[in-house]
Amino acid sequence: MQNPTIVIGVIGADCHAVGNKVLDRVFTMHNFNVINLGVMVSQDEYIDAAIETGAQAIVISSIYGHGEVDCIGMRENCVERGIGEILLYVGGNLVIGKHDFSEIETKFKAMGFNRVFAPDTDLELVCSLMKRDIDHVIQTEETAEGMQ
Ligand code: B12
């Protein structure tokens, strides 16, 4: 099976570049085919790249605290552009100030994100969760095709 393709980048007007490089390195080392859009990425740029490359997931970072505003409508945008089922992940310092992470997670999941990660999440764990999710999607698609 081919390595899974994921589109990564830092959303909105956010210019924090270091975490993005760390994620690129770790994901690449774990055999993901990483399409890295860098910083200050718009929702449409992630979606364009996902469509062009047939990516299985979009992995959004937000570091400067405005993640909620930047991510509003991302799932709906994916649906409108024909990739409504794509896996959506988000992580980083998603909001300003100190909040219970479970509140943040609930908020982003309600916005259609499949998984929401705190800034200190173990990236090895993130890689294994993403692989599991992607395998599950591929298996479900294969089963659906087999039934047709
Ligand atoms: C360096 C820095 C800057 C530099 C950035 C230079 C550059 N081009 O990279 C400059 C000076 C430009 C800057 C500007 C600003 N910054 Co600044 N900055 C930092 C600082 C000191 C370090 C960031 C860093 O590189 N960390 C190291 C990397 C490795 O960590 P990381 O970025 O968090 O990424 C990791 C995790 O978050 C996680 N992760 C990230 N995304 C994802 C996604 C997924 C799916 C997963 C699983 C994990 C994950 O994994 C990454 C790798 O380990 C932090 C404070 C800090 N100690 O973190 C503040 C900080 C991020 N900045 C902050 C702020 C507020 C700003 C400004 C708004 C300040 C201002 N008023 O102008 C501006 C925003 C500018 C903009 N448009 O983006 C705040 C954010 C507050 C919040 N979110 O609640 C912080 C936390 C400082 C603070 N304590 O207040 N900043």
Side-chain angles (χ1 to χ4, degrees):
M1 201 181 8
Q2 272 186 332
N3 290 346
T5 297
I6 58 175
V7 175
I8 75 168
V10 187
I11 197 165
D14 194 335
C15 74
H16 292 92
V18 182
N20 169 260
K21 294 212 182 330
V22 173
L23 294 183
D24 188 334
R25 186 85 192 258
V26 173
F27 294 154
T28 302
M29 275 168 46
H30 283 79
N31 298 322
F32 288 92
N33 175 30
V34 178
I35 312 297
N36 188 355
L37 305 180
V39 297
M40 300 180 76
V41 181
S42 70
Q43 290 192 5
D44 281 330
E45 286 169 327
Y46 288 105
I47 296 171
D48 289 343
I51 293 170
E52 274 166 30
T53 62
Q56 279 83 29
I58 294 176
V59 184
I60 294 178
S61 292
S62 179
I63 310 297
Y64 68 167
H66 305 288
E68 191 182 343
V69 173
D70 290 337
C71 289
I72 285 175
M74 182 67 186
R75 174 62 74 190
E76 291 77 2
N77 208 346
C78 289
V79 171
E80 268 176 32
R81 303 275 313 273
I83 54 163
E85 299 301 315
I86 195 163
L87 290 164
L88 286 182
Y89 300 112
V90 66
N93 304 315
L94 295 171
V95 295
I96 296 171
K98 287 214 185 310
H99 293 267
D100 188 354
F101 182 71
S102 65
E103 278 174 38
I104 300 172
E105 187 179 26
T106 305
K107 196 172 271 182
F108 279 81
K109 283 202 165 167
M111 287 160 65
F113 284 85
N114 297 86
R115 292 189 189 274
V116 185
F117 296 105
D120 57 354
T121 312
D122 174 8
L123 295 178
E124 302 278 325
L125 173 68
V126 173
C127 289
S128 59
L129 289 171
M130 292 200 306
K131 283 222 170 98
R132 211 171 67 189
D133 292 346
I134 291 169
D135 282 349
H136 179 72
V137 169
I138 291 170
Q139 273 169 20
T140 310
E141 282 169 1
E142 282 173 359
T143 310
E145 273 167 28
M147 283 163 50
Q148 280 171 3

